[in-house]
Each structure stands twice: as C-alpha cells, then as structure tokens.
Amino acid sequence: DERNVLSVDGIETTFATNVVGHHLLYRLLEPLLLNSTMARVVSTASVAGMIWVPKELQIASTSVQDLNEWEPSLLFNWSPGFVQPFYKYGRSKLAQVAWSKALTRRLGEDSSIYVNAAHPGAVATPITTKHLHFYLPEFVQNWRAMLVNNVCWSPEEGALTELYLGVATEEIREKQLRGKYFHPQSVEVTNLYAESVELQENVWNLCEGLVEKFL
C-alpha cells in the first residue's frame, strides 16, 4: 500500500524517520549528554503538528500496529494518496514536541540537558519548492514557485531559531528554557495538542519500546 510505506524495521516511514530515529539517537548519546556541563537537544518540529492534526490524533498510538494502520479522516473527497501524507507528517511533528516535553519531565528541573523543539517556518527548501509538483498543473507550479521565492524564509533565516536554542547558552540557562516550543524567530508558542501528558507519555513509551533492542 503506497499510502502506508514501512521502514525496514516495520514502522511507518515518516514516524520512523522524524521521531523513532531521533529517539534512538538521543538514547545512544544520553550518557555523554548527562555528563556534559550544558547539553542542548533541539527537535526540528513544524506548524504542521498544529494544523494537520485530526481529532483522533490528540492521543497518540500506543502500539506499532496502531501506528502503522492509522488512516486519518479525509477532508471533503480528496484523494487519500494526496491528503494522508500531510496528516502523517503532522502526526510526526506533533510527536516531536510531545517527545521533548516527555524527556524534559524525565530529566527534571536541575538537569544539565535542555530539550526544546522549534518550527523553522516556511523555508525555501526542496520540500517546499518541489514537493507535490507532480500533482499540480504547470501554471500552478510556476505560481507556487514565485510565491515560495517571495514569501518563504531563506534556509539561513530558517535555521536561526534552532541556532538560538543551540548556542544562546546564557539566555537558555537564565530563562530555564526546557520543554518549550518555538516559532520564528525564537518566539515561544504553545501547541495545545502537545500539552497532553497522556500524549507525551504515549509517544515516549512507544519510541522506547521500538528502540530497546538497539540499546
């Protein structure tokens, strides 16, 4: 089923790439991070985690089977092959914010690890300029390219919020920026969906179960 491609580990590919892989990387690096003077963990999330979030996603899947078999409700009569990738991307980006909050709670207020997530904004990268172009008429592609070039952030501008969360150590420590979510440029916002502790715990526990054999 092209709408539900799985990774070699049997996990829906978008979630595997954006969430489970990051969880495994963090868990492998955790001993070093805990021994550091001040470590920063920054997840590149997205506003898609606030927009492409159907009601049934407010509580995340608790098993890999549920994760893989989930098919979001469709808007209008749009083609599932066109719409569902957006929802699955949104699911993964919401999970990143929830994951950051779950980890922050586990580390505690006195931890030397500062975990946050950020949306870089609409950035003129290939995912913006080329994604879905096969579905669009040429005149729409041209209009879209013009819009992207004149409205979107440049890649350098899009990196600023993540850089802030990585290098502004004095401000991060002074303001105790932990488990927060930011939009450009370095503006703290709240993703109400990600505030659910149940969602946060479901994301963390699902990821932990999926990577435990590699630890």
Side-chain angles (χ1 to χ4, degrees), residues 23-31 204 207-215:
H23 182 86
L24 176 58
L25 177 61
Y26 168 78
R27 293 287 279 115
L28 292 172
L29 293 175
E30 188 174 46
W204 180 272
C207 289
E208 190 72 358
L210 291 172
V211 307
E212 61 182 354
K213 64 182 178 182
F214 300 105
L215 300 176

Side-chain angles (χ1 to χ4, degrees), residues 124 128-130 138-153:
T128 308
T129 57
K130 296 180 179 179
E138 185 175 357
F139 79 92
V140 177
Q141 293 182 42
N142 294 336
W143 175 83
R144 186 167 177 263
M146 180 183 68
L147 184 67
V148 166
N149 291 332
N150 287 279
V151 174
C152 290
W153 300 104

Side-chain angles (χ1 to χ4, degrees), residues 159-169 171-172 175 177 182 186:
L160 290 176
T161 301
E162 283 90 338
L163 282 173
Y164 164 73
L165 293 172
V167 304
T169 53
E171 191 165 340
I172 292 169
K175 294 184 176 180
L177 299 182
F182 292 80
S186 306

Side-chain angles (χ1 to χ4, degrees), residues 12 14-15 48-57 70-76 78-95:
E12 189 274 316
T14 304
F15 199 90
M50 301 172 72
I51 298 174
W52 292 99
V53 183
K55 290 183 179 179
E56 65 264 26
L57 203 74
W70 178 69
E71 291 195 358
S73 304
L74 299 178
L75 292 173
F76 310 112
W78 290 353
S79 165
F82 178 80
V83 176
Q84 287 187 359
F86 287 100
Y87 281 133
K88 290 179 179 180
Y89 179 75
R91 173 175 68 175
S92 73
K93 292 302 176 179
L94 169 60

